[in-house]
Coordinates of all heavy atoms in Angstrom, one line a residue:
M290 N -48.7 1.3 -58.1 CA -48.9 1.5 -56.7 C -49.7 0.3 -56.1 O -50.7 -0.1 -56.7 CB -49.7 2.8 -56.4 CG -50.0 3.1 -55.0 SD -50.9 4.6 -54.7 CE -50.0 5.8 -55.7
D291 N -49.2 -0.2 -55.1 CA -49.9 -1.4 -54.5 C -51.0 -1.0 -53.5 O -51.2 0.1 -53.2 CB -48.9 -2.4 -53.9 CG -48.3 -2.0 -52.6 OD1 -48.6 -0.8 -52.2 OD2 -47.6 -2.8 -52.0
I292 N -51.8 -2.0 -53.1 CA -52.9 -1.8 -52.3 C -52.5 -1.2 -50.9 O -53.2 -0.3 -50.4 CB -53.7 -3.1 -52.1 CG1 -54.4 -3.4 -53.4 CG2 -54.7 -3.0 -51.0 CD1 -55.1 -4.7 -53.5
I293 N -51.4 -1.7 -50.4 CA -50.9 -1.1 -49.1 C -50.6 0.3 -49.1 O -51.1 1.1 -48.3 CB -49.7 -1.9 -48.6 CG1 -50.1 -3.4 -48.3 CG2 -49.1 -1.3 -47.3 CD1 -51.1 -3.6 -47.2
E294 N -50.0 0.8 -50.2 CA -49.7 2.2 -50.4 C -51.0 3.0 -50.5 O -51.1 4.1 -50.0 CB -48.8 2.4 -51.6 CG -47.4 1.9 -51.4 CD -46.6 2.1 -52.7 OE1 -46.8 3.1 -53.4 OE2 -45.8 1.1 -53.0
R295 N -51.9 2.5 -51.3 CA -53.2 3.2 -51.5 C -54.0 3.3 -50.2 O -54.6 4.3 -49.9 CB -54.0 2.5 -52.6 CG -53.4 2.7 -54.0 CD -54.1 1.9 -55.1 NE -55.5 2.3 -55.2 CZ -56.4 1.6 -55.8 NH1 -56.0 0.5 -56.4 NH2 -57.6 2.0 -55.9
L296 N -54.0 2.2 -49.4 CA -54.7 2.2 -48.1 C -54.0 3.3 -47.2 O -54.7 4.0 -46.6 CB -54.6 0.9 -47.5 CG -55.6 -0.2 -48.1 CD1 -55.2 -1.6 -47.5 CD2 -57.0 0.2 -47.8
T297 N -52.7 3.3 -47.2 CA -52.0 4.3 -46.4 C -52.4 5.8 -46.8 O -52.7 6.6 -46.0 CB -50.5 4.1 -46.5 OG1 -50.2 2.8 -46.0 CG2 -49.8 5.1 -45.6
Q298 N -52.4 6.0 -48.1 CA -52.7 7.3 -48.7 C -54.2 7.7 -48.3 O -54.4 8.8 -47.9 CB -52.6 7.3 -50.2 CG -51.2 7.4 -50.6 CD -51.1 7.4 -52.2 OE1 -52.0 7.0 -52.9 NE2 -49.9 7.8 -52.7
Q299 N -55.1 6.7 -48.4 CA -56.5 7.0 -48.1 C -56.7 7.3 -46.6 O -57.5 8.1 -46.2 CB -57.4 5.9 -48.6 CG -57.4 5.8 -50.1 CD -57.8 7.1 -50.8 OE1 -58.8 7.7 -50.4 NE2 -57.0 7.6 -51.7
R300 N -56.0 6.6 -45.8 CA -56.0 6.8 -44.3 C -55.6 8.2 -44.0 O -56.2 9.0 -43.2 CB -55.2 5.8 -43.6 CG -55.3 6.0 -42.0 CD -54.2 5.2 -41.3 NE -53.0 5.9 -41.4 CZ -51.8 5.3 -41.8 NH1 -51.8 4.0 -42.2 NH2 -50.7 6.0 -41.9
E301 N -54.4 8.6 -44.6 CA -53.9 10.0 -44.4 C -54.8 11.0 -44.9 O -55.0 12.1 -44.3 CB -52.5 10.1 -45.0 CG -51.5 9.2 -44.3 CD -50.2 9.1 -45.1 OE1 -50.1 9.6 -46.3 OE2 -49.2 8.5 -44.5
R302 N -55.4 10.8 -46.1 CA -56.4 11.7 -46.7 C -57.6 11.9 -45.8 O -58.1 13.0 -45.5 CB -56.8 11.3 -48.1 CG -57.8 12.2 -48.8 CD -58.0 11.8 -50.2 NE -58.9 12.7 -50.8 CZ -60.1 12.3 -51.3 NH1 -60.4 11.0 -51.3 NH2 -60.9 13.2 -51.9
K303 N -58.1 10.8 -45.3 CA -59.3 10.8 -44.4 C -59.0 11.6 -43.1 O -59.8 12.4 -42.7 CB -59.7 9.4 -44.0 CG -60.9 9.3 -43.1 CD -61.2 7.9 -42.7 CE -62.4 7.8 -41.7 NZ -62.6 6.5 -41.2
A304 N -57.8 11.4 -42.5 CA -57.4 12.1 -41.3 C -57.3 13.6 -41.6 O -57.8 14.5 -40.8 CB -56.1 11.6 -40.8
Q305 N -56.8 14.0 -42.8 CA -56.7 15.4 -43.2 C -58.1 16.0 -43.3 O -58.4 17.1 -42.8 CB -56.0 15.6 -44.5 CG -55.9 17.0 -45.0 CD -55.2 17.1 -46.3 OE1 -54.8 16.1 -46.9 NE2 -55.0 18.3 -46.8
L306 N -59.0 15.3 -44.0 CA -60.4 15.8 -44.2 C -61.1 15.9 -42.9 O -61.9 16.9 -42.7 CB -61.1 14.9 -45.2 CG -60.6 14.9 -46.6 CD1 -61.3 13.8 -47.4 CD2 -60.8 16.3 -47.3
E307 N -60.9 15.0 -42.0 CA -61.6 15.0 -40.7 C -61.1 16.2 -39.9 O -61.9 16.9 -39.2 CB -61.4 13.7 -39.9 CG -62.2 12.6 -40.4 CD -61.8 11.2 -39.8 OE1 -60.7 11.1 -39.2 OE2 -62.6 10.3 -40.0
A308 N -59.8 16.6 -40.0 CA -59.3 17.7 -39.3 C -59.9 19.0 -39.9 O -60.2 20.0 -39.2 CB -57.8 17.8 -39.5
E309 N -60.1 19.0 -41.2 CA -60.7 20.2 -41.9 C -62.1 20.4 -41.4 O -62.6 21.5 -41.1 CB -60.6 20.1 -43.4 CG -59.2 20.3 -43.9 CD -59.1 20.1 -45.5 OE1 -60.1 20.5 -46.1 OE2 -58.1 19.6 -45.9
I310 N -62.9 19.3 -41.3 CA -64.2 19.3 -40.9 C -64.3 19.8 -39.5 O -65.2 20.6 -39.1 CB -64.9 17.9 -41.0 CG1 -65.1 17.6 -42.5 CG2 -66.2 17.9 -40.3 CD1 -65.6 16.2 -42.8
E311 N -63.4 19.3 -38.6 CA -63.4 19.8 -37.2 C -63.1 21.3 -37.1 O -63.8 22.0 -36.4 CB -62.3 19.0 -36.4 CG -62.3 19.5 -35.0 CD -63.6 19.2 -34.2 OE1 -64.3 18.3 -34.5 OE2 -63.8 20.1 -33.3
A312 N -62.3 21.8 -38.0 CA -62.0 23.3 -38.0 C -63.2 24.0 -38.5 O -63.5 25.1 -37.9 CB -60.8 23.5 -39.0
V313 N -63.9 23.5 -39.4 CA -65.2 24.2 -39.9 C -66.2 24.2 -38.8 O -66.9 25.2 -38.5 CB -65.7 23.5 -41.2 CG1 -67.1 24.0 -41.5 CG2 -64.8 23.8 -42.3
D314 N -66.4 23.0 -38.1 CA -67.3 22.9 -37.0 C -67.0 23.9 -35.9 O -67.9 24.5 -35.3 CB -67.4 21.5 -36.5 CG -68.1 20.5 -37.4 OD1 -68.9 21.0 -38.2 OD2 -68.0 19.3 -37.2
T315 N -65.7 24.0 -35.6 CA -65.3 25.0 -34.6 C -65.7 26.4 -35.0 O -66.2 27.2 -34.1 CB -63.8 24.9 -34.3 OG1 -63.5 23.5 -33.8 CG2 -63.3 25.9 -33.3
E316 N -65.5 26.8 -36.2 CA -65.8 28.1 -36.7 C -67.3 28.3 -36.6 O -67.8 29.4 -36.3 CB -65.3 28.3 -38.1 CG -65.6 29.7 -38.7 CD -64.9 30.8 -38.0 OE1 -64.1 30.6 -37.1 OE2 -65.3 32.0 -38.3
I317 N -68.1 27.3 -37.0 CA -69.5 27.4 -37.0 C -70.0 27.7 -35.5 O -70.8 28.6 -35.3 CB -70.2 26.2 -37.6 CG1 -70.1 26.2 -39.1 CG2 -71.7 26.1 -37.2 CD1 -70.5 24.9 -39.8
R318 N -69.4 26.9 -34.6 CA -69.8 27.1 -33.2 C -69.4 28.5 -32.7 O -70.2 29.2 -32.0 CB -69.1 26.1 -32.3 CG -69.7 24.7 -32.4 CD -69.2 23.7 -31.4 NE -67.8 23.5 -31.4 CZ -67.2 22.6 -32.2 NH1 -67.8 21.8 -33.0 NH2 -65.8 22.5 -32.1
H319 N -68.3 29.0 -33.1 CA -67.9 30.4 -32.7 C -68.8 31.4 -33.3 O -69.3 32.3 -32.6 CB -66.4 30.6 -33.3 CG -66.0 32.0 -33.1 ND1 -65.6 32.6 -31.9 CD2 -66.0 33.0 -34.1 CE1 -65.3 33.9 -32.1 NE2 -65.5 34.2 -33.4
L320 N -69.2 31.2 -34.6 CA -70.1 32.2 -35.2 C -71.5 32.2 -34.6 O -72.1 33.2 -34.4 CB -70.2 31.9 -36.7 CG -68.9 32.2 -37.5 CD1 -69.0 31.6 -38.9 CD2 -68.7 33.7 -37.6
V321 N -72.0 31.0 -34.2 CA -73.3 30.9 -33.6 C -73.3 31.6 -32.3 O -74.2 32.4 -32.0 CB -73.7 29.4 -33.4 CG1 -74.9 29.3 -32.5 CG2 -74.0 28.8 -34.8
R322 N -72.3 31.4 -31.5 CA -72.2 32.1 -30.2 C -72.1 33.6 -30.4 O -72.7 34.4 -29.6 CB -71.0 31.6 -29.4 CG -71.2 30.1 -28.9 CD -70.1 29.6 -28.0 NE -70.3 28.2 -27.7 CZ -69.5 27.2 -28.0 NH1 -68.4 27.5 -28.7 NH2 -69.8 26.0 -27.7
A323 N -71.3 34.0 -31.4 CA -71.2 35.4 -31.7 C -72.5 36.0 -32.1 O -72.9 37.1 -31.8 CB -70.1 35.7 -32.7
G324 N -73.2 35.2 -32.9 CA -74.6 35.7 -33.4 C -75.5 35.9 -32.2 O -76.3 36.8 -32.2
F325 N -75.5 34.9 -31.3 CA -76.4 35.1 -30.1 C -76.0 36.3 -29.3 O -76.8 37.1 -28.9 CB -76.3 33.9 -29.2 CG -77.3 32.8 -29.6 CD1 -76.8 31.6 -30.1 CD2 -78.6 32.9 -29.4 CE1 -77.7 30.6 -30.4 CE2 -79.5 31.9 -29.7 CZ -79.1 30.7 -30.2
A326 N -74.7 36.6 -29.2 CA -74.2 37.7 -28.5 C -74.6 39.0 -29.1 O -74.9 40.0 -28.4 CB -72.7 37.7 -28.3
E327 N -74.8 39.0 -30.4 CA -75.2 40.2 -31.2 C -76.7 40.3 -31.3 O -77.2 41.3 -31.9 CB -74.5 40.2 -32.6 CG -73.0 40.4 -32.5 CD -72.4 40.6 -33.9 OE1 -73.2 40.8 -34.9 OE2 -71.2 40.5 -34.0
G328 N -77.4 39.3 -30.8 CA -78.9 39.4 -30.9 C -79.5 38.9 -32.2 O -80.6 39.2 -32.5
I329 N -78.7 38.2 -33.0 CA -79.3 37.7 -34.3 C -80.3 36.6 -34.0 O -80.1 35.8 -33.1 CB -78.1 37.2 -35.2 CG1 -77.1 38.3 -35.5 CG2 -78.7 36.6 -36.4 CD1 -75.9 37.8 -36.2
R330 N -81.4 36.7 -34.7 CA -82.5 35.7 -34.5 C -82.0 34.3 -34.7 O -81.3 34.0 -35.7 CB -83.6 36.0 -35.5 CG -84.4 37.2 -35.1 CD -85.6 37.4 -36.0 NE -86.0 36.3 -36.9 CZ -86.0 36.4 -38.2 NH1 -85.8 37.5 -38.8 NH2 -86.4 35.3 -38.9
T331 N -82.4 33.4 -33.8 CA -82.1 32.0 -33.9 C -82.5 31.4 -35.2 O -81.7 30.6 -35.8 CB -82.7 31.2 -32.7 OG1 -82.3 31.8 -31.5 CG2 -82.3 29.8 -32.7
S332 N -83.7 31.7 -35.7 CA -84.2 31.1 -36.9 C -83.3 31.5 -38.1 O -83.0 30.7 -39.0 CB -85.6 31.4 -37.1 OG -85.8 32.8 -37.2
A333 N -82.8 32.7 -38.1 CA -82.0 33.2 -39.2 C -80.7 32.5 -39.2 O -80.2 32.0 -40.3 CB -81.8 34.7 -39.1
M334 N -80.1 32.3 -38.0 CA -78.8 31.6 -37.9 C -79.0 30.1 -38.3 O -78.1 29.6 -39.0 CB -78.2 31.7 -36.5 CG -77.7 33.1 -36.2 SD -76.7 33.1 -34.7 CE -78.0 32.8 -33.5
A335 N -80.1 29.5 -37.8 CA -80.3 28.1 -38.1 C -80.4 27.9 -39.6 O -79.8 26.9 -40.1 CB -81.5 27.6 -37.4
T336 N -81.1 28.7 -40.3 CA -81.3 28.6 -41.7 C -80.0 28.8 -42.4 O -79.6 28.0 -43.3 CB -82.3 29.7 -42.2 OG1 -83.6 29.4 -41.6 CG2 -82.4 29.6 -43.7
A337 N -79.2 29.8 -42.0 CA -77.9 30.0 -42.6 C -76.9 28.9 -42.4 O -76.2 28.5 -43.3 CB -77.3 31.3 -42.1
A338 N -77.0 28.3 -41.2 CA -76.1 27.2 -40.9 C -76.5 25.8 -41.4 O -75.8 24.9 -41.4 CB -75.8 27.2 -39.4
G339 N -77.8 25.8 -41.7 CA -78.4 24.5 -42.1 C -78.6 23.6 -40.9 O -78.5 22.3 -41.0
L340 N -78.8 24.2 -39.8 CA -79.0 23.4 -38.5 C -80.4 23.8 -37.9 O -81.0 24.7 -38.3 CB -77.9 23.8 -37.5 CG -76.5 23.4 -38.0 CD1 -75.5 24.0 -37.0 CD2 -76.3 22.0 -38.1
S341 N -80.8 23.0 -37.0 CA -82.1 23.3 -36.3 C -81.9 24.3 -35.2 O -80.8 24.5 -34.7 CB -82.7 22.0 -35.7 OG -81.8 21.5 -34.6
A342 N -83.0 24.9 -34.8 CA -83.0 25.9 -33.7 C -82.6 25.2 -32.4 O -81.7 25.8 -31.7 CB -84.4 26.5 -33.6
P343 N -83.0 24.0 -32.1 CA -82.5 23.4 -30.9 C -81.0 23.2 -30.9 O -80.3 23.3 -29.9 CB -83.3 22.0 -30.9 CG -84.6 22.3 -31.6 CD -84.2 23.2 -32.7
R344 N -80.5 22.9 -32.1 CA -79.0 22.7 -32.2 C -78.3 24.0 -32.0 O -77.3 24.1 -31.4 CB -78.6 22.1 -33.6 CG -77.2 21.9 -33.8 CD -76.6 20.9 -32.8 NE -75.2 20.7 -33.0 CZ -74.3 20.8 -31.9 NH1 -74.8 20.9 -30.7 NH2 -73.0 20.7 -32.1
M345 N -78.9 25.1 -32.4 CA -78.3 26.5 -32.1 C -78.2 26.7 -30.6 O -77.2 27.1 -30.1 CB -79.2 27.6 -32.7 CG -79.4 27.6 -34.2 SD -77.8 28.1 -35.0 CE -77.3 26.6 -35.6
Y346 N -79.3 26.3 -29.9 CA -79.2 26.5 -28.4 C -78.2 25.5 -27.8 O -77.5 25.9 -26.8 CB -80.6 26.3 -27.8 CG -81.6 27.4 -28.2 CD1 -82.7 27.1 -29.0 CD2 -81.4 28.7 -27.8 CE1 -83.5 28.1 -29.4 CE2 -82.2 29.7 -28.2 CZ -83.3 29.4 -29.0 OH -84.2 30.4 -29.4
Q347 N -78.1 24.3 -28.3 CA -77.0 23.4 -27.8 C -75.7 24.0 -28.0 O -74.8 24.0 -27.1 CB -77.1 22.1 -28.5 CG -78.3 21.2 -28.2 CD -78.3 19.9 -29.0 OE1 -77.7 19.8 -30.0 NE2 -79.0 18.9 -28.4
I348 N -75.4 24.6 -29.1 CA -74.1 25.2 -29.4 C -73.9 26.4 -28.5 O -72.9 26.6 -27.8 CB -74.0 25.7 -30.9 CG1 -73.9 24.4 -31.8 CG2 -72.8 26.5 -31.1 CD1 -74.1 24.7 -33.3
R349 N -74.9 27.3 -28.4 CA -74.9 28.4 -27.5 C -74.5 28.0 -26.0 O -73.7 28.7 -25.4 CB -76.2 29.2 -27.5 CG -76.2 30.4 -26.6 CD -77.6 30.9 -26.3 NE -78.3 29.9 -25.5 CZ -79.6 30.0 -25.1 NH1 -80.3 31.1 -25.6 NH2 -80.2 29.1 -24.4
D350 N -75.1 27.0 -25.6 CA -75.0 26.5 -24.2 C -73.8 25.6 -24.0 O -73.5 25.1 -22.9 CB -76.2 25.8 -23.7 CG -77.4 26.8 -23.8 OD1 -77.2 28.0 -23.8 OD2 -78.6 26.3 -23.8
G351 N -73.1 25.3 -25.1 CA -71.9 24.4 -25.0 C -72.2 22.9 -24.7 O -71.4 22.2 -24.2
R352 N -73.4 22.5 -25.1 CA -73.8 21.1 -25.0 C -73.6 20.4 -26.3 O -74.0 20.9 -27.3 CB -75.3 21.1 -24.6 CG -75.6 21.6 -23.2 CD -77.1 21.5 -22.8 NE -77.8 22.6 -23.5 CZ -79.0 22.4 -24.2 NH1 -79.5 21.2 -24.3 NH2 -79.6 23.4 -24.8
R353 N -73.0 19.3 -26.2 CA -72.8 18.4 -27.4 C -72.0 19.0 -28.4 O -72.0 19.9 -29.1 CB -74.1 17.9 -28.0 CG -74.7 16.9 -27.0 CD -75.9 16.3 -27.6 NE -75.8 16.1 -29.1 CZ -76.7 15.5 -29.8 NH1 -77.8 15.1 -29.3 NH2 -76.6 15.4 -31.1

């Protein structure tokens, strides 16, 4: 396999992984909003998600 083929494969692999990460991020945002709607403590969600409390509020409010 030559370098051009390998570069093409890696570009395609990177695009696939980025799409998977975006899907995970979307699900996390959905779960955080659902958690707020259910009254789950911000600190508990932040710990579970590995994010800060301010980030939880950003997600809740649709910022960034």
Side-chain angles (χ1 to χ4, degrees):
M290 180 179 313
D291 72 355
I292 290 175
I293 297 298
E294 289 176 39
R295 289 175 61 195
L296 285 168
T297 300
Q298 286 180 340
Q299 292 307 307
R300 183 194 74 232
E301 292 169 353
R302 181 172 179 239
K303 180 182 177 186
Q305 179 184 4
L306 292 170
E307 287 172 342
E309 289 179 34
I310 289 169
E311 181 60 32
V313 169
D314 284 343
T315 297
E316 179 67 8
I317 288 170
R318 287 190 301 273
H319 171 76
L320 291 168
V321 167
R322 289 184 187 117
F325 274 111
E327 291 185 16
I329 298 173
R330 288 186 11 240
T331 304
S332 60
M334 288 191 293
T336 298
L340 301 170
S341 67
R344 180 65 184 128
M345 295 288 105
Y346 293 114
Q347 286 177 338
I348 292 169
R349 180 197 65 186
D350 298 340
R352 295 180 282 130
R353 292 185 32 178

